Amino acid sequence: MRYLIIVFVLTAVAGQAQPLKARIKIDIERQTGAIDPLIYGNFTEHLGRCIYGGIYDPASPEANADGFRKDVIAATRNLGVSVIRWPGGNFVSGYHWEDGIGPREKRPKRKDLAWGDTEPNTVGTDEWIQFSRAAGAEPYICVNMGTGTWDEARNWVEYCNGKPGLYYSDLRAKNGHPEPYKVKFWGLGNEVDGDWQMGHRNAEDYSKYALEAAKLMKWSDDSIKLIASGSSNYVRDWAEWDRTVLNYLHDYIDYISLHHYSGNQDKDHNQFMAVTTRVENSIKITEGIINEVRSKYRMKKPIYIAFDEYNVWYRAWNEAKLEEHYNMQDALVVAMYLNVFVRNAHVVKMANMAQLVNVIAPMMVTNGKLWMQPTYYPLQLFAQHCKGKNLSTLVQCDRYDAGEFKSVPWLDVTSVYNEAQQEVVINVVNRHSEKAVETSLQNQYGKWTGKAIVSEVNAGLADENSEKEQKVKAVTREVAAGETSFNYTFPAHSFTQLRIKVKI
Ligand code: AHR
């Protein structure tokens, strides 16, 4: 009996420690699409402490001469953010941009009906564009397609991009900015499909309204790129929304937007780790509808997806300021969102994590001090290193079922060839909460040159950061890598990025 118990205990312990096995095959000839650096974008909304107390805080010792926080600007640059969307979000659907220009003492204070705060209009178009450029990011302005008018939309384009000699461009010059800002990216409203939106419309009404706005905006500056408001929630008829929008707007738009937020409300790790499957499906379905519409109208011009809001957001869902505190588990989900965008790089040409600071954000300012949330690190690793062409990657590993999600591989993998750097970048999330995955990494083309730079984000699944302690961060080291293959063990619940130089 005693013998049997010992055998039983030993078997159980051995079973637990036993790593899973996997094989990943990399072939730099199997390129599926160019990664647009705009997929490493972000978003700042007039909401809670994102603008006021986040990017802008003139009373802080961290403030620059314009009142923007130098530490936030530096951390945004360090994050590698390529494009920033503004001013909303739900906020924009009640925002009249002319409230935010000219002498500050004359700017009106207004109640923002989206979030219930008073908007002082201290930060408006001129200030925000200054911030965005200081942070090294392209500005992306979303216009008000809720309570806004067509004239407001086209005048905003003229204010930002018009040459001297026109009313609004001269107003810009009068406000101290004679040079056109050349704002390239313009959104045609935010989440107009949702009844929570000011000026919510059905698909037909939105499309007809946005079409006239699009015409006037393009006629004001035909170099701009327009992003239509696509479906935001994948509930009831969402694909029909996108189909209608594309049918009406295809001649004018360059992108259709998608949004997605995820959460672990059910406290089910395996289901949470599979949630980006839904994101990938929505991309595939939207791609299909884009193809359908392009072929119907025999279009030459491409239309891409701008995934211009995504993140984990559930604990602070009903809180006024949306100050979500992230943990290691959430960092894995962010890494998987990014893997989805990279894997679909041929059609997803922009993505914006919502949001930049304090509000469901990768960085926080508390007690005057800036600190990084766990979600900062996967985004930083992708934005800094994951450039070039996505590769179709063979991944053989064990799979699992969880709720609606079937046959989910324990490893979520992308690989990328960066020709400029002669480098392969491999991004691996091990979804398993307990088991490591012993993996054979195999090279199909050229020779790997002896070592891999490994950056790993890993900690206890519930570990969070704070202004006092960075429990979750990226740790980088070097390992030996054979010319054609080597073994690497991905620890349980980790995100790992390997960079390997290739000789061709
Ligand atoms: O990012 C927070 C909010 O989420 C945005 O204002 C809105 O577009 C979305 O529903």
Side-chain angles (χ1 to χ4, degrees), residues 202-260:
N202 67 28
E204 288 267 329
D205 290 349
Y206 164 71
S207 302
K208 289 179 183 164
Y209 199 72
L211 177 63
E212 296 312 306
K215 275 159 54 178
L216 307 196
M217 290 166 78
K218 278 272 194 192
W219 292 345
S220 301
D221 177 358
D222 64 7
S223 73
I224 62 174
K225 302 276 180 202
L226 290 177
I227 296 130
S229 176
S231 51
S232 47
N233 256 315
Y234 320 122
V235 285
R236 279 172 304 150
D237 296 339
W238 70 267
E240 275 320 306
W241 173 279
D242 287 350
R243 181 173 282 110
T244 306
V245 168
L246 284 160
N247 267 300
Y248 274 96
L249 284 158
H250 59 271
D251 273 341
Y252 288 91
I253 58 170
D254 303 279
Y255 305 82
I256 182 161
S257 79
L258 294 178
H259 291 179
H260 187 266

Side-chain angles (χ1 to χ4, degrees), residues 43 45 89-90 115 190-191 196 261 309 313 322 354-355 360:
F43 170 39
E45 178 168 5
N90 298 342
W115 303 103
N190 175 72
E191 296 191 352
W196 58 90
Y261 291 99
E309 285 186 36
W313 172 23
L322 280 62
Q355 303 190 4
I360 46 174

Side-chain angles (χ1 to χ4, degrees), residues 126-127 130 159 169 172-181:
D126 297 301
E127 294 83 16
Q130 250 169 308
Y159 185 84
S169 27
R172 181 191 68 232
K174 194 172 149 214
N175 290 337
H177 306 278
E179 284 304 310
Y181 287 127

Side-chain angles (χ1 to χ4, degrees), residues 85-354:
R85 180 173 179 251
W86 174 83
N90 298 342
F91 171 83
V92 77
S93 298
Y95 180 60
H96 299 289
W97 68 271
E98 287 188 63
D99 287 348
I101 56 166
R104 276 184 166 148
E105 63 285 0
K106 293 207 177 130
R107 297 185 193 178
K109 291 186 176 44
R110 298 206 192 267
K111 179 163 184 185
D112 159 33
L113 300 182
W115 303 103
D117 283 342
T118 301
E119 172 55 48
N121 282 304
T122 317
V123 172
T125 304
D126 297 301
E127 294 83 16
W128 181 77
I129 290 175
Q130 250 169 308
F131 164 77
S132 163
R133 295 254 152 90
E138 276 296 309
Y140 160 17
I141 293 179
C142 184
V143 304
N144 178 354
M145 289 280 98
T147 65
T149 65
W150 296 324
D151 271 339
E152 273 180 293
R154 65 115 168 197
N155 293 340
W156 208 353
V157 174
E158 184 177 300
Y159 185 84
C160 290
N161 294 357
K163 295 196 179 73
L166 299 168
Y167 177 77
Y168 280 98
S169 27
D170 287 349
L171 193 54
R172 181 191 68 232
K174 194 172 149 214
N175 290 337
H177 306 278
E179 284 304 310
Y181 287 127
K182 297 189 180 143
V183 175
K184 190 167 164 193
F185 301 104
W186 292 82
L188 294 164
N190 175 72
E191 296 191 352
V192 188
D193 62 329
D195 57 10
W196 58 90
Q197 205 67 212
M198 286 175 263
H200 159 60
R201 291 172 169 81
N202 67 28
E204 288 267 329
D205 290 349
Y206 164 71
S207 302
K208 289 179 183 164
Y209 199 72
L211 177 63
E212 296 312 306
K215 275 159 54 178
L216 307 196
M217 290 166 78
K218 278 272 194 192
W219 292 345
S220 301
D221 177 358
D222 64 7
S223 73
I224 62 174
K225 302 276 180 202
L226 290 177
I227 296 130
S229 176
S231 51
S232 47
N233 256 315
Y234 320 122
V235 285
R236 279 172 304 150
D237 296 339
W238 70 267
E240 275 320 306
W241 173 279
D242 287 350
R243 181 173 282 110
T244 306
V245 168
L246 284 160
N247 267 300
Y248 274 96
L249 284 158
H250 59 271
D251 273 341
Y252 288 91
I253 58 170
D254 303 279
Y255 305 82
I256 182 161
S257 79
L258 294 178
H259 291 179
H260 187 266
Y261 291 99
S262 53
N264 188 17
Q265 292 87 342
D266 299 335
K267 300 204 182 322
D268 181 328
H269 175 80
N270 287 352
Q271 277 207 51
F272 192 33
M273 289 299 109
V275 77
T276 51
T277 315
R278 213 180 279 150
V279 176
E280 196 144 12
N281 281 342
S282 72
I283 290 171
K284 285 186 180 136
I285 293 167
T286 307
E287 182 184 4
I289 302 169
I290 292 173
N291 287 341
E292 173 192 307
V293 171
R294 286 188 66 240
S295 97
K296 180 168 157 189
Y297 297 101
R298 295 169 190 270
M299 287 178 66
K300 293 206 171 67
K301 175 175 74 81
I303 296 176
Y304 296 121
I305 293 171
F307 218 107
D308 59 13
E309 285 186 36
Y310 74 91
N311 211 340
V312 174
W313 172 23
Y314 64 110
R315 304 169 188 93
W317 186 260
N318 284 320
E319 281 174 19
K321 295 190 184 309
L322 280 62
E323 299 206 358
E324 188 95 20
H325 281 244
Y326 291 113
N327 61 22
M328 176 63 217
Q329 193 181 41
D330 303 321
L332 296 177
V333 175
V334 164
M336 288 189 281
Y337 273 109
L338 291 162
N339 261 349
V340 169
F341 303 144
V342 168
R343 234 184 337 260
N344 293 280
H346 61 287
V347 64
V348 179
K349 295 290 182 188
M350 188 193 290
N352 305 68
M353 177 188 268

